[in-house]
Amino acid sequence: MTGSGKPSGGILEWLAIRNAVEKLGAQRVWSDALSWTRFTGSLALALLVLLCLTGVFMAFNYTPVPGTAYDSVDFAQFSLPFGGLIRGVHHYAWNLLLMVMGLHLARALVVAGYQPPRELTWISGLLIMLFIPVFIITGDLLPWDQKGFWSTQVRTSIMGSVPVAGDWMVRLLQGGPRTGIVALTRFYVLHLLVLPGTLLLLVGLHFHFVAHRGVSEPLFSTRERRQVSLFPTMVNRWLLLLLIITVALGAVAYLWPVPLGDPADPTDSNYIPKPEWWVLFLNQLVAIFRGPLMVLGTAVIPGALAAGLMVLPFIDRGPERHPLRRKAMLTVIAAIGLVLLVLSIMGYLEHYGPPPA
Amino acid sequence: MDENREAATGGQRYTDRRGFLKTVVLAGTTLATAGIPLAAYFVSPALEKGGGRWVDFGAVADLNDGETAMLSFEYMVKDGWQVLPQRGFVWARRGPGEAVKVMSSTCTHLACNVIWKPERQVFECPCHTGIYDAEGRPISGPPARPLAVLEHKIEDGKLQVYLTA
Amino acid sequence: MNRQVMGNWMLVLALAVALGLVMQAPALAAAKQELVSAKVKQAPAGLDDAVWKDAKALEVPFEGKEKFAGMKAAVTVRSVYSGDNIYFLFHWKDANKSVTKGAWKYDGQQWAQQKGNEDRISLLFEIDRINNFASKGCTVTCHGAADAPKKEWKFATASAAEKGDLWHWKAARSDPYHYAEDGWLTVAGEKTGRKVDEGKGGDAKNMTDDKSKPKFMRDPAKTASAPGFLLAEEAVEITDYAVFKAGDVITYQMPKKPSGSQADIQAMSRYADGAWTLMLTRKLNTGNADDVAFNAQKKYSFAMALFDDSGDENSYDSEAMTLAFGR
């Protein structure tokens, strides 16, 4: 090989990526890794890509200054071509992402996908799931509208009720005692820089374990499993999924334009923020436990729930994976799920139902 | 003799360990050197005290005996690098006699503003229907602590209230 | 296989429906009153057009200020949009039709200005966001030192960056020409922050230099286009005061023909059975810098004021409301 000009190995050699490309080309994955019976993970990835893309472009027309922030979002949404669609896709994508991740988790619970050797796949996935709400909390404030501002007030006071460290956490997060320009700037940097960086790491970790520990064997299908190439077969399947979900969310955002509420008025005592659907159960927990017990609802129970999920792979170590042979475990999980659902419905009725007589 | 042999056979490992220790020391020093200023930079705005001030709410005589009145305030505060008006209101109750009680409007549950309902003589929080009596003691709903009583003084017949944050 | 595929489609469908339902929910949360301008194919031709049935009526409560303190009023508002235009229909009870506005009356000996103001209704929109207008309404446009008497308070925005669009229908001064005064609101100068739009309009005082009697009368050569009102364009200087007899009435503030951006808002009105019915029409986007440009995708905050035979301080005010557009 001479040092000058294009070497004989072609463009790949010249770019010094031939080894990597060959390795990738030889990579084979189970055909059912993205199929009708297993698509929530791939869908979640597609949604993350969409969120990233729409988010970056929204940032091009955004200024993190109270008041001005609202004007910039208003301008982007209503005065720029496709502004409403881009914000709409971002909005619907994270709502859908929560649901899809819920399904992803539920599936792993039912078919015991968390059992060894996939403990770390499960844990890294859980970390991603617990991480997404931080995105939502920081992102909600950015448009500086009434809903975002007052939701932030409720969230920071819930955070502040955590004993000892609560007040400190709020101050650190907001950069002071009040939700003003310092807080908005912090939320902005967290939402656009720090959190996506961390998420990228977590998603990389999740995929690392998926690649090395494999996906769980199908329980119900009797057909023989076969392998396909990662590139192009599997990648093409995923791209098709990405295309479909992009068009679908675009259509949803077109048909039901995402609203932009009134600009935030920090002095408006009349505005009552309504908790969003995904946080209704938490809100209900907060409402049930009062006074000195409040910490149960705000920290102990949610924390225990998360910790329980974390240690699940070390409790239910298998090898039984079939749900019918794991009745005790699934009964406990279903009971907890039911309680969360009932709490959510109670919360929904309280906040969105007809006013009490 | 033993030491020599160990050095001879495990020479490679010995160098590696030293290299690793070096890495740890270097990285640690760098982290501390850069980390202390960075952490201080990040944390310092959070340390800022809200500060307090005496706010003049006008003549005490304007308050009717036995009634609870909403007193609005506005003053400028500095939020980081921005100066902004801080607006809000407190609840003041006069009577019996000359006694004045000034209560914060902030619900002790989740910091919504409570509203005085004169027909029922209670404060109501619209967020989770917390109810306080006229003295600000929680009666029903989520709140466990009474409404904060604000320090006040009367100078030249004018009501001054000490407000923080 | 087919059953499995179908099952999965059901799952996707259920997910989509769930998403839709969840997304609809926050719409119920609106605490502010919302006026929805219905999209209609045929523009309303008048006050009784059947198309108004397509628009949902909003009952807007008003609270009296100053002279009317403690009193309440209500206006029924409807809105539709069609093509380039937006239409508003207002209906409110008013025991008396007031259009006097200080008109001259001759008692056979001398002229005197009658007591009596006029009925008015006004709307304020945001051209450039007015801080906290969306939550507090017109109160944020009321500026004055706390110890200054209310009369010295100025109607204005807090800075030149905040800009309001003021629609102001006046029964005696703008209605005779079938329009509503089109003004805008900015930071206060010497007086208020109220400005009129580009162009001509408004009214002219009909008074001799010694302020004792009217200076103009109807030009006999012109037919009265607004019976009961003397329009500035139909007026001629009075040469012989002997032609008037006792009981004659002459307009004091003569409406001037609006033009330019001042002629943007057309009005059609009727006073009958103790109530005013008023329709206002404007282009969704006039293209003028002193007007709010409506984008049917967007929601707008607005507030209203009602004047019952009264001057500027004595009004009934509404809270801030939302104007949304149907699809």
Side-chain angles (χ1 to χ4, degrees):
Chain A
M1 198 201 290
T2 55
S4 65
K6 210 159 101 179
S8 52
I11 183 91
L12 295 178
E13 193 73 46
W14 191 59
L15 291 171
I17 55 167
R18 204 176 81 179
N19 273 350
V21 169
E22 273 171 3
K23 226 175 130 186
L24 197 70
Q27 194 89 33
R28 304 206 34 99
V29 291
W30 291 109
S31 166
D32 67 348
L34 169 47
S35 62
W36 276 111
T37 49
R38 197 193 315 254
F39 62 91
T40 47
S42 311
L43 186 53
L45 182 68
L47 290 169
L48 282 178
V49 168
L50 265 183
L51 281 164
C52 206
L53 207 62
T54 47
V56 165
F57 278 83
M58 278 158 76
F60 280 122
N61 289 293
Y62 178 79
T63 333
V65 177
T68 315
Y70 180 87
D71 296 333
S72 71
V73 174
D74 179 286
F75 174 82
Q77 184 168 348
F78 298 109
S79 304
L80 294 177
F82 302 108
L85 274 192
I86 289 170
R87 180 159 183 258
V89 168
H90 197 79
H91 176 83
Y92 289 114
W94 71 253
N95 275 283
L96 189 59
L97 179 67
L98 285 177
M99 296 180 199
V100 169
M101 285 199 320
L103 285 177
H104 198 55
L105 179 96
R107 184 186 193 280
L109 281 174
V110 171
V111 305
Y114 50 79
Q115 285 176 1
R118 284 174 275 275
E119 307 99 306
L120 290 174
T121 317
W122 167 259
I123 289 174
S124 57
L126 272 180
L127 288 177
I128 293 175
M129 193 153 174
L130 295 173
F131 198 62
I132 295 297
V134 193
F135 265 97
I136 299 173
I137 288 167
T138 49
D140 259 2
L141 184 67
L142 300 185
W144 203 252
D145 59 346
Q146 286 278 66
K147 187 164 146 252
F149 182 87
W150 290 104
S151 299
T152 303
Q153 298 315 301
V154 172
R155 286 164 188 160
T156 50
S157 53
I158 289 176
M159 208 190 288
S161 75
V162 173
V164 193
D167 185 51
W168 247 101
M169 273 156 50
V170 174
R171 276 177 164 263
L172 209 57
L173 178 68
Q174 296 198 130
R178 57 183 71 86
T179 313
I181 194 166
V182 186
L184 184 58
T185 308
R186 284 189 175 209
F187 278 45
Y188 171 72
V189 172
L190 286 172
H191 192 80
L192 274 81
L193 200 68
V194 180
L195 297 182
T198 314
L199 184 69
L200 196 67
L201 209 73
L202 287 175
V203 171
L205 211 61
H206 193 59
F207 270 80
H208 168 80
F209 290 121
V210 169
H212 288 266
R213 299 281 186 268
V215 291
S216 59
E217 296 83 20
L219 276 183
F220 305 104
S221 174
T222 48
R223 290 183 308 138
E224 206 185 325
R225 256 181 137 194
R226 61 194 176 86
Q227 287 203 315
V228 294
S229 60
L230 173 66
F231 182 83
T233 311
M234 197 45 79
V235 168
N236 285 355
R237 262 190 222 176
W238 182 78
L239 283 174
L240 185 66
L241 180 70
L242 177 63
L243 179 66
I244 291 172
I245 197 65
T246 308
V247 172
L249 286 182
V252 170
Y254 177 77
L255 291 173
W256 295 283
V258 55
L260 176 62
D262 288 332
D265 177 357
T267 65
D268 182 14
S269 60
N270 294 321
Y271 192 88
I272 305 160
K274 301 205 169 189
E276 275 163 331
W277 63 271
W278 59 275
V279 82
L280 279 171
F281 73 95
L282 263 183
N283 203 276
Q284 211 57 22
L285 276 178
V286 171
I288 287 172
F289 294 102
R290 291 162 185 175
L293 291 179
M294 189 168 165
V295 65
L296 274 180
T298 56
V300 175
I301 292 178
L305 218 56
L309 286 173
M310 284 288 178
V311 301
L312 193 56
F314 307 103
I315 297 169
D316 181 15
R317 298 186 58 85
E320 280 308 342
R321 283 187 53 220
H322 199 285
L324 289 180
R325 286 189 285 269
R326 288 164 49 239
K327 277 181 191 147
M329 179 57 69
L330 278 182
T331 312
V332 173
I333 291 169
I336 293 174
L338 199 67
V339 169
L340 295 186
L341 186 71
V342 168
L343 282 174
S344 294
I345 291 172
M346 277 165 62
Y348 186 87
L349 292 178
E350 184 185 324
H351 292 282
Y352 296 97
Chain B
M1 194 61 182
D2 279 5
E3 282 173 42
N4 279 345
R5 202 172 54 221
E6 201 176 282
T9 52
Q12 196 56 40
R13 235 180 73 204
Y14 182 69
T15 337
D16 272 353
R17 189 188 295 164
R18 217 166 69 168
F20 179 71
L21 278 176
K22 255 188 189 169
T23 312
V24 168
V25 169
L26 277 174
T29 315
T30 314
L31 205 68
T33 315
I36 290 167
L38 287 178
Y41 181 83
F42 181 75
V43 171
S44 72
L47 296 172
E48 185 221 345
K49 287 274 178 288
R53 61 197 60 65
W54 287 100
V55 177
D56 190 335
F57 283 101
V60 183
D62 290 349
L63 300 172
N64 293 327
D65 198 5
E67 273 180 26
T68 300
M70 179 196 275
L71 300 178
S72 301
F73 60 83
E74 175 177 335
Y75 50 80
M76 303 306 279
V77 289
K78 190 152 192 189
D79 174 33
W81 51 93
Q82 196 181 37
V83 178
L84 281 172
Q86 182 85 355
R87 299 192 191 89
F89 56 87
V90 298
W91 293 106
R93 182 181 178 80
R94 182 159 170 237
E98 289 306 302
V100 175
K101 185 173 188 179
V102 184
M103 282 167 283
S104 160
S105 67
T106 306
C107 179
T108 55
H109 177 227
L110 290 178
C112 300
N113 279 315
V114 297
I115 303 295
W116 173 246
K117 302 282 175 185
E119 63 279 4
R120 288 183 287 140
Q121 293 285 304
V122 294
F123 291 102
E124 193 183 284
C125 175
C127 292
H128 296 95
T129 347
I131 310 280
Y132 302 82
D133 69 8
E135 293 297 318
R137 290 177 295 239
I139 303 175
S140 73
R145 284 172 292 126
L147 294 173
V149 176
L150 304 172
E151 191 188 342
H152 74 274
K153 61 183 179 188
I154 293 161
E155 274 178 11
D156 303 331
K158 290 194 168 176
L159 176 64
Q160 312 253 351
V161 181
Y162 192 73
L163 297 176
T164 51
Chain C
M1 172 66 189
N2 269 345
R3 184 176 295 171
Q4 202 175 36
V5 169
M6 226 157 80
N8 285 300
W9 273 116
M10 298 285 269
L11 190 68
V12 172
L13 202 70
L15 214 66
V17 170
L19 184 71
L21 283 176
V22 161
M23 293 302 111
Q24 293 304 312
L28 302 169
K32 265 164 81 182
Q33 280 197 303
E34 186 169 279
L35 175 67
V36 179
S37 189
K39 187 177 187 170
V40 292
K41 286 199 180 68
Q42 195 68 45
L47 306 173
D48 307 308
D49 199 304
V51 83
W52 285 117
K53 289 197 178 65
D54 295 340
K56 197 165 177 284
L58 184 72
E59 197 73 28
V60 181
F62 285 67
E63 229 166 276
K65 298 279 149 69
E66 299 293 305
K67 180 174 116 183
F68 301 126
M71 293 162 77
K72 299 208 183 298
V75 177
T76 309
V77 191
R78 288 179 171 82
S79 176
V80 296
Y81 73 107
S82 174
D84 289 342
N85 292 325
I86 183 165
Y87 305 82
F88 291 91
L89 187 73
F90 307 91
H91 182 84
W92 72 98
K93 286 200 162 51
D94 186 341
N96 302 295
K97 177 182 183 178
S98 314
V99 290
T100 312
K101 199 68 195 170
W104 294 103
K105 192 167 187 178
Y106 188 55
D107 67 357
Q109 301 291 317
Q110 56 186 352
W111 290 89
Q113 277 189 270
Q114 303 177 91
K115 290 219 158 34
N117 209 307
E118 69 182 323
D119 293 330
R120 293 178 287 150
I121 190 166
S122 68
L123 289 85
L124 185 63
F125 295 94
E126 291 169 291
I127 300 175
D128 292 318
R129 187 171 58 82
I130 299 169
N131 206 24
N132 295 345
F133 176 74
S135 45
K136 303 236 162 61
C138 293
T139 51
V140 299
T141 60
C142 204
H143 294 268
D147 50 352
K150 285 276 159 62
K151 283 221 167 210
E152 285 170 23
W153 283 48
K154 289 166 179 174
F155 183 35
T157 64
S159 81
E162 301 179 356
K163 215 162 140 188
D165 189 8
L166 188 61
W167 300 19
H168 195 170
W169 176 84
K170 304 167 172 178
R173 287 174 294 165
S174 79
D175 195 57
Y177 262 120
H178 309 298
Y179 83 114
E181 185 187 83
D182 192 359
W184 59 286
L185 197 64
T186 182
V187 67
E190 279 292 299
K191 293 175 79 185
T192 77
R194 263 173 72 183
K195 312 274 177 213
V196 289
D197 282 11
E198 289 289 321
K200 292 208 165 91
D203 54 86
K205 297 247 164 79
N206 180 11
M207 188 157 63
T208 53
D209 291 342
D210 63 357
K211 301 183 176 176
S212 66
K213 51 187 180 287
K215 191 175 178 185
F216 300 98
M217 58 178 267
R218 185 177 327 281
D219 186 346
K222 288 177 180 159
T223 48
S225 52
F229 295 99
L230 175 59
L231 306 180
E233 281 74 16
E234 295 172 359
V236 67
E237 209 161 321
I238 303 169
T239 46
D240 179 14
Y241 282 89
V243 300
F244 297 105
K245 53 188 186 301
D248 274 354
V249 170
I250 293 186
T251 303
Y252 167 59
Q253 286 182 263
M254 303 178 294
K256 295 203 288 196
K257 190 177 174 62
S259 66
S261 187
Q262 278 192 55
D264 287 330
I265 310 163
Q266 288 102 50
M268 197 182 276
S269 73
R270 176 177 64 211
Y271 181 86
D273 306 324
W276 278 106
T277 309
L278 166 71
M279 178 171 95
L280 296 181
T281 305
R282 208 204 73 172
K283 277 204 164 65
L284 283 164
N285 183 2
T286 61
N288 298 323
D290 43 27
D291 290 321
V292 56
F294 291 116
N295 171 350
Q297 300 290 315
K298 205 174 151 172
K299 292 185 177 187
Y300 294 83
S301 287
F302 75 107
M304 291 162 52
L306 198 63
F307 304 85
D308 180 16
D309 195 21
S310 61
D312 285 349
E313 306 83 43
N314 306 308
S315 64
Y316 294 92
D317 295 356
S318 83
E319 303 267 306
M321 289 164 281
T322 303
L323 170 68
F325 293 84
R327 280 150 68 87

